[in-house]
Amino acid sequence: MNIKNYINGEFVNPIKGNYLDNYNPSIGKIYGQIPNSTKEDVVLALEAAEKAFSKWSTTTLDERSKIFSKIADLILEKLDFLAAAESKDNGKPISLAKAVDIPRAASNFQFFANAITQFSSEAHESVGLNAINFTLRQPLGVVGCISPWNLPLYLFTWKIAPAIAAGNCVIAKPSEVTPMTAYLLGEICTEAGLPKGVLNIVHGLGTSTGQAIVAHPKIKAISFTGGTKTGAHIASIAAPMFKKLSLELGGKNPNIIFADCDYDKMLETTVRSSFTNQGQICLCGSRIFVEETIYEKFKKEFIKKVSELKVGNPSEKNTNIGALVSHQHLEKVKSYIDIAEKEGGKILFGGDSVTVKNCENGYYLQPTIIEVQNNKCKLNQEEIFGPVVTMMSFKNDKEALALANESKYGLSATLWTNNLNRTMQFAKQLQTGIVWVNTWMLRDLRTPFGGAKDSGVGREGGFEALRFFTEPKNICIKY
Ligand code: NDP
């Protein structure tokens, strides 16, 4: 299936007529083409967005909210169709796309349909000075949203929904590796009555199309989710223009397991937090630290549970682990398994490619568990972003905390314990944007979402996102 750009409410070919191949990772074959858009396409989208802005930014909140609810309803109506498209484009199990990716895309719109009607700003009376101050929060204008391939529609809508709800017009670029559901969203937005030019979707390579969005001086803010290196590059281009920047970047998240935890719940959740979406979630707990008194028991039982996961065709219902997103990514992940052997890591389970019946050219890898002795090794310090976890033991709280914080990343951490005192000590001292205690990836969309250290700048979610996509202006009235 060939796709087009969505500009000014219309599906259009790229101006220069160049296309890129789109692969189905489950069979390793090209199944369509996508626009390889250039600066000229970004400018066309910008013109449409600028034209739409004055009207959209003055649309009532009630009207915006109604359109958003309609988009959410349409996404849910097309759940099966969108889930199949997501699974084909990305390689993820269709069951996961149905249960998580697509419902969450609908929730992103429904959440901001409600949030925008509750978003308000402050007023400050300057007592004794006969003055009143209030804060106007105005939309920025045209903003850019750039999203990655791991949770395609989920993360794409997580950015564009608050941007549009706040009254901005958007130029968005999904990853060129997984463009399909963003393309399908264009149709849904038109059907829901989103006015022309409010959302414009331009497909293409990060280094050309994405770069053109970041570099255009008239695009006032960039909301980006992706790798840390790309984030740093984007910041270097955007900073001299004083653009607002929200960067959600990589992670190398610790999963800290104490002997006093609810063991069965921990074991089941740790399998999920390690391998959901083939380990391609920025929040996956890729470094597992286990208290030494239960280390051997955990090791044995974790290996057993992981060995029961079925690697297979993503479109089959009982598949737990589908294909990795691309051949290039598969090779990258495998290169870390090679490094493990050189670094003295011990592969406890997995480590090999898998050949799946009728999908022989797909990009499949066994879930892989590697025991390491040294937290400073590459395997524990670099983001692998695949179905590979490491594990090592610790003696006490002090050591566990030091191991968890010994990372340039600071996105999330998971802690398993029933000790309240320990929970509070870790919650305060873990250098991450998110701490899950006795759970993983339980999301409440009102909460601030994002990372510390090299995992990013700024926060998404709830009013944080609406604040990012608006400019606060202080009005002081003397009376
Ligand atoms: P990339 O950084 O390679 O790409 C992310 C997006 O940016 C894609 O749309 C990409 O386009 C685009 N892009 C690439 N180069 C540029 C550029 N120079 N200018 C503008 N845009 C550009 O990340 P991946 O897609 O590989 O995603 C995986 C990464 O995302 C991991 O590091 C993961 O941890 C992180 N991530 C972080 C999350 C968070 O919330 N903190 C959540 C999910 C993922 P294209 O793909 O077409 O090259």
Side-chain angles (χ1 to χ4, degrees), residues 272-290:
R272 279 198 305 116
S273 67
S274 302
F275 299 115
T276 300
N277 204 39
Q278 298 70 249
Q280 301 167 144
I281 302 183
C282 53
L283 304 167
C284 278
S286 53
R287 293 184 295 150
I288 305 176
F289 299 113
V290 188

Side-chain angles (χ1 to χ4, degrees), residues 146-150 155 173-177 204-207 210-211 214 224-228 230 233-234 248-251 282 383 385 411 449 455:
I146 300 176
S147 56
W149 48 257
N150 62 329
L155 289 176
K173 192 198 90 65
S175 169
E176 124 252 351
V177 188
L205 294 167
T207 45
Q211 179 103 1
V214 175
F224 168 82
T225 297
T228 294
T230 319
H233 175 70
I234 286 176
E248 298 296 335
L249 309 175
C282 53
E383 187 184 39
F385 214 57
L411 187 52
F449 179 89
S455 290

